[in-house]
Amino acid sequence: MPTYQEERFPLPTPRRLVRELNLRRPPWWMTLLLVVVVIGTWVPLVLIHRVRGTTSRQPRVHFFMDMDKQAKFSTQAAHPWFEDGRAMRQSIEGTIPRGHLRHDAHFFDGFTKDAAGGSVQFVTTMPPQITVDESLLRRGQQRYEIYCALCHGTKGIGDGTINLRAIELEEPKWVPATNLMTQEIRDRADGQIFQAIRDGVRNMPSYGSQIDPRDRWAIVAHLRQLQSTSPVAAPLGDIPQVAPTGANP
């Protein structure tokens, strides 16, 4: 049953509301214009969706460049301003980039020299700034499998695909990859293995320009972990001692 308030103040119906407010029905053209305007607002959304969902060989339209396109010279480009005609300027001889002073022989070389600069001693421990943890070992394993496992194998026993293929083809100049699980390699100092990665050994090229010092120590840590979990392999025989480049051991 309706309440007293509803009986005394009934809610107006739409028709009654229109009649009381004396509102007229809008003309048909106004209704049509409103519909067109509403539908027109959908057009930009459709165009944006189409542009973002399709590919094109035409360059994008830039209303604001935001430094996307700027005057510059590409690699190996010529430049008339300089005497040698090159846009790429060479580093000034004798200068060292900020933060790249290689003053820590333990970290950057893997060996130290005496005061006279003659006697070389490979370091036997990790540098103080290197913490051997799970993160470092994962990084070392990743770098090892990229650069080392192709010849030395993932287990370090010298069964990498390149080494096995070279032996199969009986390449006359190929020196078989070292089995890193032998006692001789286990007895080598950490710095000697680090230096071998940086400067290369026999026909093994130098990886100094490809692997930064921290990643080289990570590889050494990963190799030590492999050696700690693998049995000692058969001896390799006489292997020349690896001397640091530019040093007199």
Side-chain angles (χ1 to χ4, degrees), residues 187-241:
D187 292 340
R188 289 185 180 179
D190 291 345
Q192 187 173 2
I193 298 175
F194 174 92
Q195 183 267 332
I197 298 172
R198 187 191 69 175
D199 300 325
V201 181
R202 296 184 296 276
N203 65 334
M204 170 184 159
S206 166
Y207 288 96
S209 62
Q210 298 167 271
I211 309 176
D212 62 48
R214 183 171 294 274
D215 283 346
R216 289 176 224 153
W217 286 115
I219 292 176
V220 173
H222 172 66
L223 176 60
R224 293 309 193 196
Q225 184 185 46
L226 285 179
Q227 292 174 341
S228 66
T229 57
S230 302
V232 179
L236 294 174
D238 295 331
I239 297 178
Q241 182 76 5

Short mmCIF file of all heavy atoms in Angstrom, two decimals, residues 187-241:
data_model
loop_
_atom_site.label_atom_id
_atom_site.label_comp_id
_atom_site.label_asym_id
_atom_site.label_seq_id
_atom_site.Cartn_x
_atom_site.Cartn_y
_atom_site.Cartn_z
N ASP A 187 94.92 -27.18 -10.00
CA ASP A 187 95.98 -26.61 -9.18
C ASP A 187 96.36 -25.20 -9.62
O ASP A 187 97.09 -24.51 -8.90
CB ASP A 187 97.22 -27.51 -9.25
CG ASP A 187 96.99 -28.85 -8.57
OD1 ASP A 187 96.05 -28.93 -7.74
OD2 ASP A 187 97.72 -29.81 -8.88
N ARG A 188 95.90 -24.78 -10.76
CA ARG A 188 96.24 -23.43 -11.22
C ARG A 188 95.52 -22.39 -10.38
O ARG A 188 94.39 -22.59 -9.94
CB ARG A 188 95.87 -23.25 -12.69
CG ARG A 188 96.78 -24.03 -13.64
CD ARG A 188 96.47 -23.75 -15.08
NE ARG A 188 97.34 -24.49 -15.97
CZ ARG A 188 97.28 -24.47 -17.30
NH1 ARG A 188 96.36 -23.72 -17.88
NH2 ARG A 188 98.12 -25.17 -18.02
N ALA A 189 96.17 -21.27 -10.21
CA ALA A 189 95.58 -20.17 -9.44
C ALA A 189 94.40 -19.56 -10.18
O ALA A 189 94.32 -19.62 -11.41
CB ALA A 189 96.64 -19.09 -9.17
N ASP A 190 93.50 -19.00 -9.41
CA ASP A 190 92.34 -18.35 -10.03
C ASP A 190 92.77 -17.25 -10.99
O ASP A 190 92.19 -17.08 -12.08
CB ASP A 190 91.42 -17.75 -8.95
CG ASP A 190 90.74 -18.81 -8.11
OD1 ASP A 190 90.73 -19.98 -8.53
OD2 ASP A 190 90.21 -18.47 -7.03
N GLY A 191 93.82 -16.53 -10.63
CA GLY A 191 94.29 -15.45 -11.49
C GLY A 191 94.85 -15.93 -12.80
O GLY A 191 94.75 -15.25 -13.83
N GLN A 192 95.44 -17.14 -12.82
CA GLN A 192 95.99 -17.68 -14.06
C GLN A 192 94.86 -18.03 -15.03
O GLN A 192 94.97 -17.81 -16.23
CB GLN A 192 96.86 -18.90 -13.78
CG GLN A 192 97.59 -19.43 -15.01
CD GLN A 192 98.56 -20.53 -14.68
OE1 GLN A 192 98.67 -20.94 -13.52
NE2 GLN A 192 99.27 -21.02 -15.68
N ILE A 193 93.77 -18.59 -14.51
CA ILE A 193 92.61 -18.90 -15.37
C ILE A 193 91.99 -17.60 -15.87
O ILE A 193 91.60 -17.49 -17.04
CB ILE A 193 91.60 -19.74 -14.59
CG1 ILE A 193 92.23 -21.07 -14.17
CG2 ILE A 193 90.35 -19.99 -15.42
CD1 ILE A 193 91.35 -21.92 -13.28
N PHE A 194 91.90 -16.61 -14.99
CA PHE A 194 91.37 -15.30 -15.38
C PHE A 194 92.21 -14.70 -16.51
O PHE A 194 91.68 -14.19 -17.50
CB PHE A 194 91.37 -14.38 -14.16
CG PHE A 194 90.98 -12.95 -14.46
CD1 PHE A 194 89.66 -12.55 -14.36
CD2 PHE A 194 91.94 -12.02 -14.84
CE1 PHE A 194 89.30 -11.24 -14.62
CE2 PHE A 194 91.59 -10.70 -15.10
CZ PHE A 194 90.26 -10.32 -14.99
N GLN A 195 93.54 -14.77 -16.36
CA GLN A 195 94.43 -14.20 -17.36
C GLN A 195 94.34 -14.95 -18.68
O GLN A 195 94.45 -14.36 -19.76
CB GLN A 195 95.86 -14.19 -16.82
CG GLN A 195 96.89 -13.54 -17.73
CD GLN A 195 97.56 -14.54 -18.66
OE1 GLN A 195 97.68 -15.73 -18.32
NE2 GLN A 195 98.00 -14.07 -19.81
N ALA A 196 94.12 -16.27 -18.63
CA ALA A 196 93.97 -17.05 -19.86
C ALA A 196 92.72 -16.64 -20.62
O ALA A 196 92.72 -16.57 -21.86
CB ALA A 196 93.92 -18.54 -19.53
N ILE A 197 91.65 -16.33 -19.90
CA ILE A 197 90.42 -15.87 -20.56
C ILE A 197 90.67 -14.51 -21.21
O ILE A 197 90.24 -14.26 -22.34
CB ILE A 197 89.26 -15.77 -19.55
CG1 ILE A 197 88.95 -17.15 -18.96
CG2 ILE A 197 88.02 -15.20 -20.22
CD1 ILE A 197 87.95 -17.11 -17.82
N ARG A 198 91.38 -13.64 -20.52
CA ARG A 198 91.60 -12.28 -21.03
C ARG A 198 92.55 -12.26 -22.23
O ARG A 198 92.29 -11.58 -23.23
CB ARG A 198 92.17 -11.40 -19.91
CG ARG A 198 92.27 -9.93 -20.29
CD ARG A 198 93.07 -9.14 -19.28
NE ARG A 198 94.49 -9.51 -19.31
CZ ARG A 198 95.41 -8.90 -18.58
NH1 ARG A 198 95.07 -7.93 -17.74
NH2 ARG A 198 96.68 -9.27 -18.63
N ASP A 199 93.67 -13.02 -22.16
CA ASP A 199 94.71 -12.91 -23.18
C ASP A 199 94.76 -14.09 -24.14
O ASP A 199 95.46 -14.01 -25.15
CB ASP A 199 96.08 -12.76 -22.50
CG ASP A 199 96.15 -11.51 -21.63
OD1 ASP A 199 95.54 -10.50 -22.02
OD2 ASP A 199 96.80 -11.55 -20.57
N GLY A 200 94.05 -15.18 -23.83
CA GLY A 200 94.08 -16.33 -24.73
C GLY A 200 95.22 -17.27 -24.41
O GLY A 200 96.20 -16.92 -23.73
N VAL A 201 95.11 -18.51 -24.93
CA VAL A 201 96.13 -19.54 -24.74
C VAL A 201 96.30 -20.28 -26.05
O VAL A 201 95.32 -20.81 -26.60
CB VAL A 201 95.74 -20.53 -23.62
CG1 VAL A 201 96.85 -21.58 -23.44
CG2 VAL A 201 95.48 -19.82 -22.31
N ARG A 202 97.53 -20.29 -26.58
CA ARG A 202 97.82 -20.99 -27.84
C ARG A 202 96.80 -20.57 -28.93
O ARG A 202 96.73 -19.40 -29.27
CB ARG A 202 97.84 -22.50 -27.61
CG ARG A 202 98.98 -22.94 -26.66
CD ARG A 202 99.06 -24.44 -26.52
NE ARG A 202 97.87 -24.99 -25.91
CZ ARG A 202 97.65 -25.05 -24.60
NH1 ARG A 202 98.56 -24.58 -23.77
NH2 ARG A 202 96.56 -25.58 -24.13
N ASN A 203 96.02 -21.51 -29.47
CA ASN A 203 95.07 -21.12 -30.53
C ASN A 203 93.74 -20.65 -29.95
O ASN A 203 92.83 -20.31 -30.71
CB ASN A 203 94.82 -22.28 -31.49
CG ASN A 203 94.15 -23.47 -30.81
OD1 ASN A 203 94.29 -23.64 -29.60
ND2 ASN A 203 93.44 -24.28 -31.58
N MET A 204 93.60 -20.60 -28.64
CA MET A 204 92.41 -20.02 -28.03
C MET A 204 92.55 -18.51 -28.07
O MET A 204 93.53 -17.95 -27.57
CB MET A 204 92.27 -20.49 -26.59
CG MET A 204 91.20 -19.74 -25.81
SD MET A 204 91.15 -20.27 -24.08
CE MET A 204 90.33 -18.87 -23.32
N PRO A 205 91.61 -17.80 -28.70
CA PRO A 205 91.74 -16.35 -28.84
C PRO A 205 91.51 -15.64 -27.51
O PRO A 205 91.00 -16.21 -26.54
CB PRO A 205 90.63 -15.99 -29.85
CG PRO A 205 89.59 -17.05 -29.65
CD PRO A 205 90.36 -18.30 -29.31
N SER A 206 91.88 -14.38 -27.50
CA SER A 206 91.63 -13.54 -26.33
C SER A 206 90.16 -13.12 -26.29
O SER A 206 89.57 -12.77 -27.31
CB SER A 206 92.51 -12.29 -26.41
OG SER A 206 92.07 -11.31 -25.48
N TYR A 207 89.58 -13.17 -25.11
CA TYR A 207 88.21 -12.72 -24.91
C TYR A 207 88.16 -11.43 -24.07
O TYR A 207 87.12 -11.09 -23.52
CB TYR A 207 87.38 -13.81 -24.23
CG TYR A 207 87.09 -14.98 -25.13
CD1 TYR A 207 87.89 -16.12 -25.10
CD2 TYR A 207 86.02 -14.96 -26.01
CE1 TYR A 207 87.64 -17.20 -25.93
CE2 TYR A 207 85.75 -16.03 -26.85
CZ TYR A 207 86.57 -17.14 -26.80
OH TYR A 207 86.31 -18.21 -27.63
N GLY A 208 89.31 -10.73 -24.02
CA GLY A 208 89.37 -9.52 -23.22
C GLY A 208 88.41 -8.44 -23.68
O GLY A 208 87.90 -7.67 -22.87
N SER A 209 88.18 -8.36 -25.00
CA SER A 209 87.28 -7.33 -25.52
C SER A 209 85.82 -7.75 -25.49
O SER A 209 84.94 -6.92 -25.73
CB SER A 209 87.68 -6.98 -26.97
OG SER A 209 87.55 -8.12 -27.81
N GLN A 210 85.55 -9.01 -25.20
CA GLN A 210 84.17 -9.51 -25.23
C GLN A 210 83.61 -9.79 -23.83
O GLN A 210 82.40 -9.70 -23.63
CB GLN A 210 84.10 -10.80 -26.07
CG GLN A 210 84.49 -10.59 -27.53
CD GLN A 210 84.71 -11.91 -28.25
OE1 GLN A 210 85.80 -12.46 -28.26
NE2 GLN A 210 83.65 -12.41 -28.85
N ILE A 211 84.47 -10.12 -22.90
CA ILE A 211 84.03 -10.46 -21.55
C ILE A 211 84.67 -9.47 -20.59
O ILE A 211 85.90 -9.38 -20.50
CB ILE A 211 84.44 -11.90 -21.17
CG1 ILE A 211 84.02 -12.89 -22.25
CG2 ILE A 211 83.83 -12.29 -19.84
CD1 ILE A 211 84.48 -14.31 -21.99
N ASP A 212 83.86 -8.73 -19.87
CA ASP A 212 84.41 -7.73 -18.95
C ASP A 212 84.99 -8.42 -17.72
O ASP A 212 84.74 -9.61 -17.48
CB ASP A 212 83.35 -6.70 -18.56
CG ASP A 212 82.16 -7.31 -17.83
OD1 ASP A 212 82.37 -8.09 -16.87
OD2 ASP A 212 81.01 -7.01 -18.20
N PRO A 213 85.82 -7.73 -16.95
CA PRO A 213 86.52 -8.38 -15.83
C PRO A 213 85.60 -9.08 -14.83
O PRO A 213 85.89 -10.18 -14.36
CB PRO A 213 87.28 -7.22 -15.17
CG PRO A 213 87.50 -6.25 -16.28
CD PRO A 213 86.28 -6.33 -17.13
N ARG A 214 84.47 -8.45 -14.48
CA ARG A 214 83.58 -9.07 -13.50
C ARG A 214 83.03 -10.40 -14.03
O ARG A 214 82.92 -11.38 -13.29
CB ARG A 214 82.44 -8.13 -13.16
CG ARG A 214 81.49 -8.65 -12.07
CD ARG A 214 80.52 -7.57 -11.64
NE ARG A 214 81.22 -6.48 -10.97
CZ ARG A 214 81.52 -6.48 -9.69
NH1 ARG A 214 81.18 -7.51 -8.92
NH2 ARG A 214 82.16 -5.45 -9.15
N ASP A 215 82.71 -10.46 -15.32
CA ASP A 215 82.20 -11.71 -15.90
C ASP A 215 83.29 -12.77 -16.00
O ASP A 215 83.02 -13.97 -15.92
CB ASP A 215 81.60 -11.44 -17.28
CG ASP A 215 80.23 -10.80 -17.21
OD1 ASP A 215 79.64 -10.80 -16.12
OD2 ASP A 215 79.74 -10.28 -18.25
N ARG A 216 84.55 -12.34 -16.20
CA ARG A 216 85.65 -13.32 -16.22
C ARG A 216 85.78 -13.99 -14.85
O ARG A 216 85.97 -15.21 -14.76
CB ARG A 216 86.96 -12.62 -16.58
CG ARG A 216 87.04 -12.16 -18.02
CD ARG A 216 88.33 -11.39 -18.27
NE ARG A 216 88.07 -10.20 -19.07
CZ ARG A 216 88.79 -9.11 -19.05
NH1 ARG A 216 89.83 -9.02 -18.23
NH2 ARG A 216 88.49 -8.07 -19.82
N TRP A 217 85.69 -13.18 -13.78
CA TRP A 217 85.75 -13.79 -12.44
C TRP A 217 84.53 -14.67 -12.20
O TRP A 217 84.63 -15.70 -11.50
CB TRP A 217 85.84 -12.70 -11.38
CG TRP A 217 87.17 -12.03 -11.31
CD1 TRP A 217 87.46 -10.73 -11.60
CD2 TRP A 217 88.42 -12.64 -10.95
NE1 TRP A 217 88.81 -10.49 -11.44
CE2 TRP A 217 89.42 -11.64 -11.03
CE3 TRP A 217 88.80 -13.93 -10.56
CZ2 TRP A 217 90.76 -11.89 -10.74
CZ3 TRP A 217 90.13 -14.17 -10.26
CH2 TRP A 217 91.09 -13.16 -10.36
N ALA A 218 83.39 -14.31 -12.77
CA ALA A 218 82.20 -15.16 -12.64
C ALA A 218 82.43 -16.50 -13.32
O ALA A 218 82.01 -17.56 -12.82
CB ALA A 218 80.98 -14.46 -13.23
N ILE A 219 83.09 -16.50 -14.48
CA ILE A 219 83.41 -17.76 -15.17
C ILE A 219 84.37 -18.59 -14.33
O ILE A 219 84.22 -19.82 -14.22
CB ILE A 219 84.01 -17.46 -16.56
CG1 ILE A 219 82.94 -16.85 -17.47
CG2 ILE A 219 84.58 -18.73 -17.19
CD1 ILE A 219 83.46 -16.44 -18.84
N VAL A 220 85.36 -17.96 -13.72
CA VAL A 220 86.30 -18.68 -12.86
C VAL A 220 85.53 -19.33 -11.70
O VAL A 220 85.78 -20.50 -11.35
CB VAL A 220 87.39 -17.73 -12.34
CG1 VAL A 220 88.27 -18.44 -11.30
CG2 VAL A 220 88.24 -17.21 -13.49
N ALA A 221 84.61 -18.59 -11.10
CA ALA A 221 83.82 -19.15 -9.98
C ALA A 221 82.98 -20.33 -10.46
O ALA A 221 82.88 -21.35 -9.75
CB ALA A 221 82.93 -18.06 -9.40
N HIS A 222 82.39 -20.23 -11.64
CA HIS A 222 81.59 -21.34 -12.17
C HIS A 222 82.47 -22.55 -12.45
O HIS A 222 82.08 -23.69 -12.15
CB HIS A 222 80.88 -20.90 -13.45
CG HIS A 222 80.20 -22.02 -14.17
ND1 HIS A 222 79.11 -22.69 -13.65
CD2 HIS A 222 80.46 -22.60 -15.38
CE1 HIS A 222 78.72 -23.63 -14.50
NE2 HIS A 222 79.51 -23.60 -15.54
N LEU A 223 83.66 -22.32 -12.99
CA LEU A 223 84.57 -23.43 -13.26
C LEU A 223 84.98 -24.12 -11.96
O LEU A 223 85.03 -25.36 -11.91
CB LEU A 223 85.81 -22.92 -14.00
CG LEU A 223 86.90 -23.96 -14.27
CD1 LEU A 223 86.37 -25.11 -15.11
CD2 LEU A 223 88.11 -23.30 -14.94
N ARG A 224 85.25 -23.36 -10.93
CA ARG A 224 85.60 -23.97 -9.64
C ARG A 224 84.45 -24.81 -9.09
O ARG A 224 84.66 -25.86 -8.48
CB ARG A 224 85.99 -22.89 -8.64
CG ARG A 224 87.28 -22.15 -8.98
CD ARG A 224 88.43 -23.08 -9.25
NE ARG A 224 89.71 -22.38 -9.27
CZ ARG A 224 90.83 -22.88 -9.76
NH1 ARG A 224 90.83 -24.11 -10.30
NH2 ARG A 224 91.94 -22.19 -9.75
N GLN A 225 83.23 -24.35 -9.33
CA GLN A 225 82.08 -25.13 -8.88
C GLN A 225 81.99 -26.44 -9.67
O GLN A 225 81.70 -27.50 -9.10
CB GLN A 225 80.79 -24.32 -9.04
CG GLN A 225 79.56 -25.03 -8.49
CD GLN A 225 78.28 -24.28 -8.77
OE1 GLN A 225 78.06 -23.82 -9.89
NE2 GLN A 225 77.43 -24.13 -7.75
N LEU A 226 82.23 -26.37 -10.99
CA LEU A 226 82.24 -27.60 -11.79
C LEU A 226 83.30 -28.57 -11.29
O LEU A 226 83.06 -29.78 -11.18
CB LEU A 226 82.49 -27.26 -13.27
CG LEU A 226 81.35 -26.65 -14.07
CD1 LEU A 226 81.82 -26.35 -15.49
CD2 LEU A 226 80.15 -27.58 -14.11
N GLN A 227 84.48 -28.04 -10.99
CA GLN A 227 85.56 -28.91 -10.52
C GLN A 227 85.25 -29.53 -9.17
O GLN A 227 85.65 -30.67 -8.90
CB GLN A 227 86.86 -28.10 -10.46
CG GLN A 227 87.39 -27.68 -11.82
CD GLN A 227 88.59 -26.77 -11.72
OE1 GLN A 227 88.84 -26.16 -10.67
NE2 GLN A 227 89.35 -26.64 -12.80
N SER A 228 84.54 -28.80 -8.34
CA SER A 228 84.22 -29.33 -7.01
C SER A 228 83.17 -30.43 -7.05
O SER A 228 83.06 -31.22 -6.11
CB SER A 228 83.72 -28.19 -6.11
OG SER A 228 82.48 -27.69 -6.58
N THR A 229 82.41 -30.50 -8.13
CA THR A 229 81.36 -31.52 -8.24
C THR A 229 81.69 -32.60 -9.26
O THR A 229 80.86 -33.46 -9.51
CB THR A 229 80.03 -30.85 -8.62
OG1 THR A 229 80.18 -30.13 -9.85
CG2 THR A 229 79.57 -29.89 -7.53
N SER A 230 82.89 -32.57 -9.87
CA SER A 230 83.27 -33.54 -10.89
C SER A 230 84.53 -34.26 -10.46
O SER A 230 85.39 -33.69 -9.79
CB SER A 230 83.51 -32.85 -12.24
OG SER A 230 82.35 -32.15 -12.65
N PRO A 231 84.67 -35.52 -10.86
CA PRO A 231 85.88 -36.26 -10.51
C PRO A 231 87.08 -35.74 -11.29
O PRO A 231 86.94 -35.13 -12.35
CB PRO A 231 85.54 -37.71 -10.92
CG PRO A 231 84.50 -37.55 -11.99
CD PRO A 231 83.70 -36.35 -11.61
N VAL A 232 88.26 -36.01 -10.77
CA VAL A 232 89.49 -35.57 -11.43
C VAL A 232 89.69 -36.40 -12.69
O VAL A 232 89.60 -37.63 -12.67
CB VAL A 232 90.70 -35.72 -10.49
CG1 VAL A 232 91.98 -35.29 -11.19
CG2 VAL A 232 90.48 -34.88 -9.23
N ALA A 233 89.97 -35.72 -13.82
CA ALA A 233 90.16 -36.40 -15.09
C ALA A 233 91.61 -36.84 -15.23
O ALA A 233 92.48 -36.50 -14.43
CB ALA A 233 89.77 -35.47 -16.24
N ALA A 234 91.88 -37.63 -16.27
CA ALA A 234 93.23 -38.10 -16.55
C ALA A 234 94.14 -36.92 -16.85
O ALA A 234 93.69 -35.90 -17.37
CB ALA A 234 93.21 -39.07 -17.72
N PRO A 235 95.43 -37.03 -16.54
CA PRO A 235 96.36 -35.91 -16.79
C PRO A 235 96.47 -35.61 -18.27
O PRO A 235 96.34 -36.48 -19.13
CB PRO A 235 97.68 -36.40 -16.19
CG PRO A 235 97.55 -37.89 -16.16
CD PRO A 235 96.12 -38.19 -15.94
N LEU A 236 96.79 -34.37 -18.57
CA LEU A 236 96.90 -33.93 -19.96
C LEU A 236 98.31 -34.04 -20.50
O LEU A 236 98.53 -33.93 -21.70
CB LEU A 236 96.45 -32.46 -20.06
CG LEU A 236 94.99 -32.19 -19.78
CD1 LEU A 236 94.75 -30.68 -19.78
CD2 LEU A 236 94.11 -32.85 -20.81
N GLY A 237 99.28 -34.21 -19.65
CA GLY A 237 100.66 -34.21 -20.12
C GLY A 237 101.27 -32.84 -19.90
O GLY A 237 100.76 -32.01 -19.18
N ASP A 238 102.39 -32.64 -20.57
CA ASP A 238 103.10 -31.36 -20.40
C ASP A 238 102.39 -30.27 -21.19
O ASP A 238 102.23 -30.35 -22.40
CB ASP A 238 104.54 -31.49 -20.90
CG ASP A 238 105.33 -32.48 -20.05
OD1 ASP A 238 105.00 -32.61 -18.85
OD2 ASP A 238 106.25 -33.10 -20.59
N ILE A 239 101.99 -29.24 -20.49
CA ILE A 239 101.32 -28.09 -21.10
C ILE A 239 102.15 -26.86 -20.81
O ILE A 239 102.56 -26.64 -19.66
CB ILE A 239 99.91 -27.91 -20.55
CG1 ILE A 239 99.06 -29.13 -20.90
CG2 ILE A 239 99.25 -26.64 -21.08
CD1 ILE A 239 97.66 -29.05 -20.36
N PRO A 240 102.45 -26.04 -21.81
CA PRO A 240 103.28 -24.84 -21.56
C PRO A 240 102.63 -23.93 -20.53
O PRO A 240 101.41 -23.78 -20.50
CB PRO A 240 103.33 -24.16 -22.96
CG PRO A 240 103.01 -25.27 -23.92
CD PRO A 240 102.08 -26.21 -23.21
N GLN A 241 103.48 -23.33 -19.73
CA GLN A 241 102.99 -22.40 -18.71
C GLN A 241 102.47 -21.15 -19.39
O GLN A 241 103.06 -20.64 -20.33
CB GLN A 241 104.11 -22.03 -17.74
CG GLN A 241 103.69 -21.12 -16.62
CD GLN A 241 102.90 -21.87 -15.54
OE1 GLN A 241 102.78 -23.08 -15.63
NE2 GLN A 241 102.39 -21.16 -14.57
#
